[in-house]
Amino acid sequence: MFIQTESTPNPATLKFLPGQTVLSAGTADFPSKDSAHASPLAEKIFEVNGVTGVFLGHDFVTVTKDDGTEWDHMKPSILGMIMEHFQSGAPVLAAEGVAPSGHADHTGEDGDIVEQIKELLDTRVRPAVAQDGGDITFHGFERGVVYLHMQGACAGCPSSTVTLKMGIENLLRHYIPEVTEVRPIDL
């Protein structure tokens, strides 16, 4: 098994590509060691000193580190954990599983607008941010403001504000006049 790595716009995050499907549908975000119980793979990766987050996508694993640890010291251990996991045949998600993360449900009068927002996110935004090892999901829409949850490499990325304001906000405002602003939300 050969695992490739790619840098992301977030210097604290590295993208690992194992050359096979990680999750067949959706994504799974584990922003802390305590949240990783639902994924044997994420639990293994959190055993490496300095790991602060694990994000699973269709064909990649994104790992976030603390500021005090260098990638040169962590990368071989993480590669070993990922390789060992996939060679063992163990599931990526535990038997009880994790619902693939995605857009929040929306009930209310703006249903048509929310569907347009979700469609644009799914077709134009999410594929692009997945390339960088992250994901952005819809969290809410209220009085013209779209609330988005940033995950993986997008969470804490120095360029995330620019991505939100200059990229996503401009895109949504162009296609959906009811959108006036885009804001990040931490869960």
Side-chain angles (χ1 to χ4, degrees):
M1 175 177 220
F2 180 72
I3 302 171
Q4 294 180 308
T5 60
E6 291 181 0
S7 59
T8 71
N10 183 347
T13 304
L14 198 58
K15 184 177 175 183
F16 294 81
L17 298 136
Q20 63 189 64
T21 300
V22 176
L23 289 180
S24 57
T27 61
D29 189 26
F30 304 101
S32 69
K33 187 174 187 169
D34 294 338
S35 66
H37 66 277
S39 171
L41 174 58
E43 281 184 314
K44 274 187 186 257
I45 294 170
F46 270 109
E47 291 175 14
V48 177
N49 285 337
V51 171
T52 61
V54 176
F55 180 80
L56 308 174
H58 174 69
D59 62 351
F60 65 90
V61 176
T62 301
V63 179
T64 304
K65 69 172 189 67
D66 62 26
D67 291 336
T69 312
E70 295 298 322
W71 281 118
D72 292 343
H73 301 297
M74 301 173 67
K75 191 173 162 182
S77 297
I78 295 169
L79 287 166
M81 296 289 189
I82 294 171
M83 187 176 300
E84 181 182 306
H85 179 83
F86 280 105
Q87 289 177 342
S88 76
V92 171
L93 297 177
E96 70 269 9
V98 173
S101 66
H103 303 303
D105 291 332
H106 178 83
T107 56
E109 61 194 48
D110 297 322
D112 290 343
I113 295 169
V114 168
E115 287 307 311
Q116 291 176 43
I117 292 167
K118 290 179 180 180
E119 175 71 20
L120 283 169
L121 290 173
D122 287 342
T123 58
R124 305 261 182 136
V125 176
R126 293 178 86 185
V129 296
Q131 295 267 324
D132 288 336
D135 197 10
I136 296 178
T137 57
F138 172 84
H139 187 72
F141 178 70
E142 186 177 336
R143 295 188 187 111
V145 179
V146 177
Y147 297 93
L148 300 176
H149 181 226
M150 303 176 84
Q151 302 171 324
C154 296
C157 178
S159 61
S160 64
T161 302
V162 174
T163 299
L164 272 179
K165 292 295 180 186
M166 301 305 291
I168 299 168
E169 184 175 291
N170 286 343
L171 174 82
L172 293 177
R173 289 174 66 187
H174 175 78
Y175 287 103
I176 307 167
E178 293 86 354
V179 172
T180 59
E181 185 181 356
V182 173
R183 293 183 192 164
I185 187 164
D186 291 324
L187 296 179

